[in-house]
């Protein structure tokens, strides 16, 4: 099957969040199996700086908002089916960040990602590829299924091409003023409630949901939750209409990349057969974070500092958690108000709460490898990768039962023979505190806690199974176009 993965970010090239891990790992899994899959990405500054790319000698011109913008195609290698093609258009992508700076989103994001969505199709034409599947990811690629159906279908290359659209997070939809319609390459005829109009705004995600052949989200539970008004962010009605085309496929993580027995980022390696390296990582983490009382249980948090992640719950319970004898290490960046809130706690609980604003791969992995617990009290969580990494490195997840967290973490007290973490339901500080205190009870019993760590580490959330499911989904999508 000839597959094109259209993504606004993917590891190892460019990353701001989990979508990059998923796009990169899925591609890698497909290619390891010999599938003909190629990723298409914008050529961001960071890609240009850090990777050796090859000229393909092919280019195209796209007219948007009345002016013509050229795109040049670069390749990750010289084979006819390379791992990745990159769309060079310096005026749009050669910037330090992907989507915007601390001051806000780039003002021309509608143009940037409308261009990208067309550029993926133009790349197929220029490289003479007839894809069976174009797999789109999140709002940045939302217009692609629309362009395909309304403008590109008549090209022979796309006569049988099916589109799959993956929702990684419904909370980010790519909403723009309707005055951007022309810049986005759309016509007024598209600006209706059954197409891209959304409360008098232009909605890129909605285009993807309306025009793609099949839709999926990144866990089975989230695929159910998005049909409810409280999680649908205004698109639940549309998703309900497309319910028979909506699937849930849980993400995996790259087990070769994230492997405590060979990870070059952590100070000592370990495995279920010998956890002494984990104890060493724990001591290093305690030292580096400047935590006092080495024996206190350490809870880690790594993630975007956004309201989705349940930071107000952490804020409302942190005094009590520290009072219960816990130490915390937090790594992340994001909304100013959470950075301030957490900085305040780190000041007030010096030696017990350590905060690093930013993102640093090495420290992230040390937190997974050295914490006893890993907190994810998310308000909602389409899949969540942190809990999967925590399991892999033996940090026991404490999570709220939502989205992918509900699908991957089983509560130890509810099911002592299968449990791999601690789970709570209600979005409230007392529910979080209760789950943590159950964890601390077990922590006091060193032998039983160690058994749980081993169980966490033996869980299997590698990509094999999920990649199989994607291939089945692709087959279904193809069937729809053919049939
Ligand atoms: C988004 C979601 C996260 C998911 C990731 C990859 O970042 O918030 O839950 O794991 O996408 O699909």
């Amino acid at each position: 099957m000839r597959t094109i993965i259209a993504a606004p970010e993917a590891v190892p090239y460019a990353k701001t969040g989990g979508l990059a891990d998923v796009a990169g790992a899925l591609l890698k899994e497909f290619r390891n199996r010999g599938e003909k899959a190629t990723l298409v990405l914008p050529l961001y500054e960071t890609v240009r700086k850090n990777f050796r790319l090859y000229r393909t000698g092919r280019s195209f011109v796209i007219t948007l908002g009345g002016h013509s913008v050229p795109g040049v195609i670069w390749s990750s290698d010289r084979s006819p089916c390379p791992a990745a093609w990159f769309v060079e258009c310096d005026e749009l992508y050669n910037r330090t960040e992907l989507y915007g700076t601390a001051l806000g989103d780039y003002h021309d994001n509608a143009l940037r990602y409308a261009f990208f969505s067309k550029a993926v199709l133009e790349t197929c034409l220029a490289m003479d590829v007839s894809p069976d599947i174009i797999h789109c990811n999140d709002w940045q690629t939302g217009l692609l299924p629309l362009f395909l159906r309304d403008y590109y279908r008549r090209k022979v290359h796309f006569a049988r091409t099916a589109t799959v659209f993956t929702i990684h997070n419904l909370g980010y939809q790519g909403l723009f003023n309707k005055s951007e319609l022309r810049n986005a390459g759309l016509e007024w005829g598209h600006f209706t409630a059954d197409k891209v109009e959304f409360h008098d705004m232009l909605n890129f995600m909605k285009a993807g949901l309306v025009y793609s052949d099949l839709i999926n989200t990144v866990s089975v539970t989230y695929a159910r939750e998005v049909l409810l008004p409280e999680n649908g962010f205004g698109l639940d009605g549309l998703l309900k209409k497309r319910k028979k085309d909506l699937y849930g496929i849980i993400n995996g993580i790259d087990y070769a990349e994230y492997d405590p027995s060979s990870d070059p980022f952590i100070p000592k390696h370990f495995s279920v057969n010998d956890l002494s390296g984990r104890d060493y990582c724990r001591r290093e983490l305690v030292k580096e974070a400047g935590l006092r009382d080495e024996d206190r249980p350490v809870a880690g948090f790594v993630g975007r500092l956004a309201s989705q992640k349940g930071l107000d719950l952490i804020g409302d319970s942190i005094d009590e958690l520290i009072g219960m004898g816990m130490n915390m290490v937090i790594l992340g960046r994001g909304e100013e108000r959470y950075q301030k809130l957490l900085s305040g706690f780190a000041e007030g609980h010096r030696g017990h709460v350590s905060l690093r604003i930013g993102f640093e791969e090495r420290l992230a992995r040390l937190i997974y490898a050295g914490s006893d617990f890993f907190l994810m009290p998310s308000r909602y969580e389409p899949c969540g990768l942190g809990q999967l990494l925590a399991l892999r490195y033996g940090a026991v997840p404490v999570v709220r039962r939502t989205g992918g967290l509900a699908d991957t973490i089983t509560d130890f007290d509810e099911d002592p023979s299968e449990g791999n973490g601690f789970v709570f339901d209600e979005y409230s500080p007392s529910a979080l505190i209760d789950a943590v205190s159950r964890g601390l009870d077990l922590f006091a019993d060193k032998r039983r806690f160690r058994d749980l760590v081993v169980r966490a580490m033996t869980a299997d959330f590698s990509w094999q199974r999920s990649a199989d499911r994607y291939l089945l989904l692709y087959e279904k999508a193809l069937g729809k176009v053919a049939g």
Side-chain angles (χ1 to χ4, degrees):
M1 190 158 4
R2 188 68 176 101
T3 307
I4 296 291
I5 300 179
E9 53 181 272
V11 294
Y13 304 110
K15 164 168 170 173
T16 69
L19 159 56
D21 292 298
V22 172
L26 184 61
L27 174 79
K28 186 170 160 193
E29 175 68 25
F30 284 158
R31 291 186 63 90
N32 285 343
R33 295 174 178 207
E35 287 287 334
K36 291 204 207 88
T38 302
L39 173 79
V40 184
L41 267 191
L43 182 51
Y44 299 112
E45 183 190 82
T46 163
V47 182
R48 190 190 286 287
K49 271 195 189 148
N50 298 311
F51 294 87
R52 171 157 169 62
L53 305 179
Y54 299 87
R55 276 175 203 289
T56 64
R58 310 284 172 89
S59 59
F60 50 81
V61 175
I62 291 171
T63 305
L64 283 175
H67 62 286
S68 301
V69 188
V72 175
I73 306 163
W74 293 75
S75 183
S76 61
D77 56 79
R78 291 193 202 277
S79 80
C81 178
W85 281 312
F86 300 88
V87 175
E88 177 186 56
C89 178
D90 283 350
E91 63 174 289
L92 299 182
Y93 306 127
N94 199 29
R95 305 182 188 180
T96 37
E97 301 295 331
L98 270 51
Y99 312 126
T101 64
L103 299 174
D105 289 347
Y106 291 131
H107 73 280
D108 54 352
N109 275 350
L111 175 67
R112 295 174 78 224
Y113 289 101
F115 180 85
F116 178 60
S117 294
K118 277 204 176 171
V120 173
L121 296 166
E122 290 290 344
T123 298
C124 295
L125 296 177
M127 302 310 297
D128 198 19
V129 170
S130 293
D132 296 298
I133 295 290
I134 302 182
H135 182 168
C136 302
N137 292 277
D138 271 356
W139 70 264
Q140 293 91 336
T141 55
L143 294 184
L144 191 154
L146 180 157
F147 291 144
L148 177 64
R149 198 173 299 172
D150 286 358
Y151 304 113
Y152 284 80
R153 181 67 89 196
R154 55 184 97 103
K155 310 262 184 200
V156 301
H157 289 80
F158 300 118
R160 294 179 341 102
T161 303
T163 51
V164 169
F165 185 84
T166 301
I167 303 168
H168 293 268
N169 193 335
L170 207 53
Y172 302 85
Q173 300 182 356
L175 277 178
F176 301 97
N177 194 295
K178 62 185 170 194
S179 61
E180 293 286 334
L181 208 65
R182 229 165 79 84
N183 279 333
L186 301 172
E187 297 162 48
W188 280 107
H190 288 117
F191 199 67
T192 57
D194 59 342
K195 294 181 177 162
V196 304
E197 186 271 345
F198 183 79
H199 303 288
D200 208 32
M201 304 270 286
L202 163 58
N203 186 328
F204 276 35
M205 171 84 83
K206 184 172 175 182
L209 301 182
V210 169
Y211 283 86
S212 56
D213 294 303
L214 291 180
I215 305 167
N216 82 295
T217 71
V218 288
S219 67
V220 173
T221 295
Y222 192 59
R224 255 196 330 265
E225 289 170 343
V226 293
L227 302 177
L228 307 170
E230 55 270 37
N231 295 304
F233 291 96
L235 291 173
D236 39 295
L238 166 59
L239 285 164
K240 252 197 239 144
K241 265 191 226 144
R242 293 217 57 189
K243 198 171 157 196
K244 66 172 191 347
D245 294 329
L246 173 65
Y247 295 81
I249 300 180
I250 194 81
N251 290 329
I253 52 172
D254 182 341
Y255 269 46
E257 171 68 30
Y258 296 105
D259 181 354
S261 70
S262 61
D263 189 331
F265 287 96
I266 59 176
K268 249 208 176 78
H269 295 149
F270 57 93
S271 69
V272 282
N273 302 320
D274 180 5
L275 286 172
S276 59
R278 184 164 216 287
D279 298 332
Y280 184 89
C281 291
R282 187 184 189 284
R283 284 195 296 275
E284 288 296 301
L285 174 64
V286 165
K287 221 190 290 165
E288 174 160 347
L291 297 176
R292 280 189 273 136
D293 309 328
E294 161 153 7
D295 293 336
R296 281 181 163 229
V298 178
F301 175 97
V302 178
R304 268 182 299 116
L305 304 182
S307 80
Q308 175 201 343
K309 299 292 177 183
L311 290 156
D312 39 354
L313 278 196
I314 294 185
D316 289 343
S317 45
I318 206 162
D319 292 338
E320 192 152 347
L321 295 178
I322 303 304
M324 284 155 66
M326 188 119 179
N327 277 343
M328 284 187 70
V329 186
I330 301 170
L331 169 66
R333 63 179 167 208
E335 291 169 32
E336 185 77 32
R337 59 183 163 138
Y338 293 121
Q339 300 194 7
K340 280 216 185 95
L341 180 83
L342 294 172
S343 304
F345 289 120
E347 285 281 302
H349 293 287
R350 203 179 287 258
H352 295 300
V353 176
S354 156
L355 169 71
R356 184 87 57 93
I357 301 282
F359 187 79
E360 199 197 315
E361 192 65 42
R362 187 195 56 83
L363 180 57
R365 296 195 194 205
L366 186 61
I367 293 175
Y368 293 118
S371 303
D372 302 299
F373 296 98
F374 191 79
L375 298 186
M376 283 183 81
S378 303
R379 199 182 276 281
Y380 74 95
E381 195 63 75
C383 175
L385 300 174
Q387 83 278 21
L388 304 181
L389 295 170
L391 289 173
R392 177 77 168 144
Y393 288 82
V396 173
V398 179
V399 308
R400 189 164 165 259
R401 199 181 322 263
T402 180
L405 298 171
D407 293 356
T408 54
I409 307 302
T410 304
D411 186 83
F412 179 77
D413 290 322
E414 276 170 28
D415 187 348
S417 63
E418 294 286 321
N420 58 2
F422 294 91
V423 183
F424 63 98
D425 286 280
E426 195 184 81
Y427 190 79
S428 72
S430 60
L432 168 61
I433 289 165
D434 174 67
V436 170
S437 74
R438 291 188 291 115
L440 294 186
D441 287 346
L442 193 74
F443 184 78
D445 184 338
K446 290 284 168 257
R447 199 185 47 79
R448 286 179 72 217
F449 190 75
R450 196 145 272 235
D451 289 346
L452 180 57
V453 169
V454 167
R455 184 180 302 159
M457 288 177 67
T458 41
D460 182 3
F461 289 102
S462 57
W463 263 104
Q464 271 92 13
R465 243 180 315 159
S466 305
D468 286 343
R469 292 189 187 140
Y470 271 104
L471 290 175
L472 285 175
L473 189 70
Y474 292 171
E475 293 288 350
K476 270 203 193 95
L478 276 179
K480 274 197 86 181
V481 171

